[in-house]
Amino acid sequence: MLAAVLEKLHQQEQRQVAAVTAAHGGVPVAESPVSRLLASHPDYYTRLHHLQAYLQPQR
């Protein structure tokens, strides 16, 4: 269930980034130095990537 939630959050984040990019004429908006400084947790995609190893059946 956690993987499904993280995947949904990742997709939502991707849609938001695409909408902001489209609103700025297709030019990606750079993340501000302050927002990078305050971002202390990995993004959803990174979390999901690291979680995949635990979702694989044990042999």
Side-chain angles (χ1 to χ4, degrees), residues 28-46:
V29 178
E31 190 175 34
S32 74
V34 173
S35 65
R36 284 195 311 266
L37 178 66
L38 296 176
S40 62
H41 298 308
D43 62 15
Y44 302 120
Y45 180 77
T46 302

Side-chain angles (χ1 to χ4, degrees), residues 44-55:
Y44 302 120
Y45 180 77
T46 302
R47 290 181 188 192
L48 186 58
H49 174 75
H50 289 289
L51 184 61
Q52 290 298 322
Y54 297 101
L55 298 175

Side-chain angles (χ1 to χ4, degrees), residues 14-31:
Q14 293 299 100
R15 285 191 299 271
Q16 289 173 342
V17 168
V20 170
T21 300
H24 286 90
V27 178
V29 178
E31 190 175 34

